[in-house]
Structures are given as structure tokens and as C-alpha cells.
Amino acid sequence: MTSRRIISTEKTILDKDDHDLTFDSGSGQQDPSSTAPAVPMDVILKLLAFTLAMVVVPIGSYFATVHTLFKGNSTYAGALAAIMANVVLVGYVVVAMSEDQTEQLEAQKKQQGKKD
């Protein structure tokens, strides 16, 4: 196999500075870089809330019911904790799907607004 030789006048990625890596839109002016977050803050907060619920709800339901509701039977309390974990998981899926549908509806409204 052959390897590519670097010509001495050619810059490698390590030799290029930030000015060489910026993109030009063709108008002679450089586009400012976007500093907006890749993921919206409300999505991060929902994920953190469901993560906390995934830890607290099953463990809390186990310890809350093992001696009160099930009279020390840890099998039933563990089963309830597993069911509660699934409830939290299904809740997250429902919230994520409804959020996705609202984005699609907003896009449709924008398209209809442009047609009118």
C-alpha cells in the first residue's frame, strides 16, 4: 500500500489556524459562529426529571410498601417497584412523543401560514 505524502507547502490540520477553518458564505463576510445549545434547556430538564424519577419512584415505592402494604413480603414490594419503573419509562415515552408531535404541528402551521 502507498501512503499520501505531505507536500511541504501544504498545511496539515495541525498547521491551520482558526482563521483558515471558518466558513465563508460567499459575500466576503464570515458568518458568525452559533453559540446556541444543541439541545434545548426544556428537553434537558425533562430528561433530568425523569432520570430522578427513575431512581426515586421504584426505590421509594419498595421501601414504602414492603412493611406497610405487603407486611414484610419483599417479593411483592419488588414487583411493585419494577412496575413503577415501567410506569416512569412509559411516562417518558409518552412525553417525548407528545413533544415530537407538537413540533410537527408547529411546522405544519408555519407552512400553512406561508401558503395563505
Side-chain angles (χ1 to χ4, degrees):
M1 277 207 232
T2 62
S3 62
R4 182 172 182 253
R5 294 184 183 162
I6 298 175
I7 302 171
S8 62
T9 59
E10 183 180 346
K11 287 186 178 181
T12 64
I13 193 68
L14 298 174
D15 296 332
K16 292 183 180 182
D17 58 0
D18 290 337
H19 181 70
D20 292 339
L21 296 177
T22 56
F23 296 102
D24 191 6
S25 62
S27 63
Q29 296 177 354
Q30 294 179 351
D31 295 332
S33 63
S34 175
T35 58
V39 180
M41 187 57 112
D42 62 330
V43 173
I44 294 172
L45 291 176
K46 286 178 190 174
L47 181 63
L48 288 174
F50 277 101
T51 301
L52 182 67
M54 195 65 172
V55 172
V56 171
V57 171
I59 294 173
S61 66
Y62 174 82
F63 286 111
T65 60
V66 70
H67 292 294
T68 57
L69 187 62
F70 298 120
K71 311 268 190 274
N73 191 345
S74 62
T75 303
Y76 292 145
L80 179 67
I83 291 169
M84 295 306 292
N86 285 311
V87 167
V88 172
L89 182 63
V90 168
Y92 178 72
V93 170
V94 168
V95 168
M97 288 180 66
S98 67
E99 180 179 301
D100 188 39
Q101 289 175 355
T102 56
E103 289 175 0
Q104 290 176 355
L105 292 174
E106 288 174 2
Q108 287 177 354
K109 287 180 183 178
K110 286 182 183 178
Q111 288 178 353
Q112 289 176 355
K114 289 181 182 179
K115 290 179 183 178
D116 293 338

